[in-house]
Each structure stands twice: as structure tokens, then as C-alpha cells.
């Protein structure tokens, strides 16, 4: 019971990031304060959950839970020392990049769209490192690839952005 509760709390971080990504699709305004605040809170909460997960792994060891589906293709989460470390790193970098993009893109008409794509990318990468089944790993890998591609093409009129997206596309295949 304790393991399942911990894993449900852990998946709350990526779920909050996905909610911000969905919220960004609804708000197209130049500096929507709610979206800016939501992205900061979602990344901060994900970092807190990642730290709590790492502390749990240090104290109790590896844990895994099958949450939905039949065992070979179940949606499950796995927390071990590597996944907890990577989850913490992703969350930490996410907090920094969201703060930097809030300042750097100040006044940009599509700032909310960028923050939504960034939160979606962070969600997909988090689910990639927390995946406990092969099917979930493949789905998270594809989601990460698509989200990162869309993020790289935020300025699609810039030749360097298009070149970077093409290189990522080739490497991902």
C-alpha cells in the first residue's frame, strides 16, 4: 500500500506538467500570468516529488508497482537509484529552464505555447525514466521525441532551428 501511494504521488509531478501543457493550448495570450505561475508551480512540485522519491529509495530501496493493465503490458512505475536520480535531475533542470524562459521570452506573443511545449517535454522525459514496462518505455520514448521536436521548432522560420530539428529527427530514428 505504501509503495503504491508513493508511486501515485511520484506520477503526480508529470501529471501536473501535462496539465500545464493542456492549459497552454487554451491560452494564447502574450503573458498569461496564470500559465506562467502554473508552469513554475508544476516544475517546483515535480522537483519536490523527485526529492521525496530519492529519499524514499535511499531509505527503502527499489520499488515497483503495476498500476493498470495486465502484467506484460501494464502501466507501471519503477523507482530505483538510477530512475530517482534522473527524475531529480530532470525536475531540477526543468525548474531552471522554466525560470530562464519566463525571463528570456518576456513579451513574446507565443510564450505560453513555448512553456506548454516545455512542460510536455519534461512530462514525457519524466515518464521515460520512471517507466516500469517495455510498452510504457516505448510510448514515453516516442512522446519525448515528438515533444522535443515541437519544442525545437518553436521558431520554425529560423534555419538553425529547422536544422536542429532535422538532426534530432535523424538521431531519434
Amino acid at each position: 500500500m505504501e509503495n503504491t501511494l508513493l508511486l501515485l504521488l511520484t506520477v503526480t509531478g508529470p501529471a501536473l506538467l501535462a496539465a500545464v501543457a493542456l492549459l497552454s493550448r487554451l491560452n494564447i495570450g502574450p503573458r498569461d500570468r496564470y500559465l506562467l505561475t502554473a508552469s513554475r508551480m508544476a516544475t517546483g512540485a515535480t522537483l519536490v516529488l523527485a526529492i521525496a522519491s530519492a529519499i524514499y529509495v535511499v531509505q527503502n530501496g527499489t520499488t515497483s508497482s503495476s498500476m493498470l493493465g495486465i502484467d506484460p503490458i501494464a502501466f507501471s512505475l519503477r523507482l530505483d537509484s538510477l530512475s530517482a536520480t534522473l527524475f531529480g535531475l530532470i525536475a531540477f533542470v526543468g525548474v531552471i529552464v522554466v525560470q530562464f524562459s519566463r525571463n528570456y521570452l518576456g513579451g513574446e506573443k507565443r510564450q505560453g505555447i513555448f512553456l506548454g511545449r516545455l512542460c510536455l517535454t519534461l512530462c514525457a522525459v519524466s515518464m521515460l525514466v520512471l517507466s516500469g514496462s517495455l510498452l510504457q518505455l516505448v510510448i514515453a520514448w516516442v512522446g519525448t521525441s515528438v515533444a522535443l521536436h515541437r519544442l525545437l521548432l518553436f521558431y520554425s522560420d529560423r534555419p538553425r532551428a529547422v536544422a536542429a530539428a532535422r538532426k534530432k529527427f535523424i538521431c531519434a530514428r
Side-chain angles (χ1 to χ4, degrees), residues 11-121:
V11 81
T12 302
L16 288 172
L17 293 169
V20 170
L22 287 175
L23 183 64
S24 74
R25 302 286 292 170
L26 302 175
N27 299 320
I28 312 282
R31 267 190 67 93
D32 187 7
R33 294 192 188 280
Y34 296 115
L35 186 61
L36 295 172
T37 303
S39 64
R40 178 182 273 174
M41 291 176 65
T43 54
T46 303
L47 180 60
V48 168
L49 291 169
I51 292 170
S53 300
I55 291 170
Y56 180 83
V57 168
V58 167
Q59 291 178 347
N60 300 322
T62 300
T63 185
S64 181
S65 175
S66 179
M67 300 174 78
L68 179 65
I70 301 171
D71 197 27
I73 57 171
F75 173 80
S76 63
L77 298 176
R78 178 174 170 83
L79 271 177
D80 55 11
S81 58
L82 179 62
S83 64
T85 303
L86 289 175
F87 184 42
L89 180 65
I90 291 163
F92 179 69
V93 170
V95 167
I96 291 171
V97 172
V98 164
Q99 180 60 39
F100 177 77
S101 65
R102 287 170 54 107
N103 297 334
Y104 182 73
L105 292 174
E108 171 75 34
K109 291 180 182 178
R110 298 176 20 209
Q111 182 181 19
I113 295 170
F114 179 83
L115 285 173
R117 289 179 183 178
L118 178 61
C119 286
L120 184 62
T121 303

Side-chain angles (χ1 to χ4, degrees), residues 105 108 110 113-114 117 150-156:
L105 292 174
E108 171 75 34
R110 298 176 20 209
I113 295 170
F114 179 83
R117 289 179 183 178
R150 304 254 322 165
L151 188 61
L152 285 171
L153 286 176
F154 179 68
Y155 290 117
S156 59

Side-chain angles (χ1 to χ4, degrees), residues 104-159:
Y104 182 73
L105 292 174
E108 171 75 34
K109 291 180 182 178
R110 298 176 20 209
Q111 182 181 19
I113 295 170
F114 179 83
L115 285 173
R117 289 179 183 178
L118 178 61
C119 286
L120 184 62
T121 303
L122 291 171
C123 171
V125 173
S126 296
M127 291 309 296
L128 180 69
V129 300
L130 294 174
S131 63
S133 68
L134 185 59
L135 179 66
Q136 183 181 347
L137 181 77
V138 169
I139 291 170
W141 183 275
V142 170
T144 300
S145 179
V146 169
L148 186 57
H149 188 80
R150 304 254 322 165
L151 188 61
L152 285 171
L153 286 176
F154 179 68
Y155 290 117
S156 59
D157 57 334
R158 296 182 180 177

